Amino acid sequence: MTWTIAPEPHDSPVAAALWRAYYTEVSDRWYVLHEGHRTDPDELEREIAAQIGAELASPTGQLLIGRYAGTPGGSAGVRLLDADTAELTRVFVSEELRGRGGAPLLVAAAEEAARALGARRLVLDTRSDLVEARALYARLGYRETGPHNDGVYADHWFRKELAVS
C-alpha cells in the first residue's frame, strides 16, 4: 500500500472532512489538556465553519491531500506570506493511518508546492502539546526560530530554507 498526494480544492468534500478531523483533534487535545473537557460542540462548529481555508487556493496557496491505498487520510497546505516566504499549515494524518510514512511525504509535497509558488523558505507555528509535530518538523530539517506571528495558540515557530530545484 502506498500514499499518493495531489492538489485538492480547499472546499471539496474530502478537504472539508479532513479539516473537520484535524480541527476536532487539535481543539479537543487543547481543551482536555488545559480545561479537562472536550471542545464545546457549538464552538467547534463555529470555528470549523469560520476557517474554510480559502487562503490555500491558487494563485497564492495550495492544499494537498494524501490518500493511502486510495483512501483520503492526510493533508498539508501552503500559503504565501510574501514573495519569498510561505507558511506550512494543516499538516494532518488521520489517526488510523499514522506510522505509515504519510506525514513526511505530505510535508515534502508542500515544500514543492511552496517552491512552485516562488517561495524560498517555509515557516510554521505549532503548540507545545503537539510534540509529535515538533519532532516531525525537526526530523525534516526545520529549525526552531523566533515568532513570525502572534497566533494565540502558537508556542513554537519553525523555518526551513528551501533548496532551489
Side-chain angles (χ1 to χ4, degrees):
M1 306 252 185
T2 60
W3 285 93
T4 57
I5 298 169
E8 180 90 17
H10 74 279
D11 56 355
S12 76
V14 167
L18 285 167
W19 170 236
R20 174 174 290 284
Y22 168 86
Y23 194 84
T24 300
E25 182 175 327
V26 298
S27 182
D28 280 352
R29 190 167 177 170
W30 190 89
Y31 273 103
V32 167
L33 179 66
H34 295 282
E35 297 188 14
H37 62 83
R38 293 177 57 139
T39 311
D40 173 84
D42 291 334
E43 178 185 351
L44 185 68
E45 292 306 317
R46 280 191 308 273
E47 291 302 315
I48 289 171
Q51 299 181 37
I52 62 170
E55 71 279 8
L56 303 178
S58 184
T60 58
Q62 186 169 68
L63 177 66
L64 300 158
I65 298 297
R67 288 174 170 81
Y68 185 76
T71 301
S75 65
V78 294
R79 67 182 181 129
L80 285 177
L81 298 179
D82 61 45
D84 295 324
T85 308
E87 180 180 39
L88 178 63
T89 185
R90 295 195 185 194
V91 177
F92 173 72
V93 173
S94 58
E95 187 173 6
E96 65 274 8
L97 295 175
R98 292 180 188 155
R100 298 178 191 207
L105 294 173
L106 282 159
V107 172
E111 291 172 1
E112 281 301 313
R115 280 188 202 91
L117 293 169
R120 297 183 348 190
R121 75 189 59 82
L122 264 176
V123 296
L124 64 96
D125 66 71
T126 192
R127 298 187 330 226
S128 290
D129 62 304
L130 300 177
V131 294
E132 305 89 343
R134 292 182 10 238
L136 170 72
Y137 300 131
R139 263 193 331 272
L140 297 178
Y142 287 78
R143 289 187 2 255
E144 195 154 357
T145 65
H148 64 267
N149 64 25
D150 58 358
V152 173
Y153 299 107
D155 299 314
H156 298 269
W157 295 264
F158 290 83
R159 175 183 175 135
K160 183 177 183 179
E161 298 298 320
L162 299 174
V164 178
S165 54

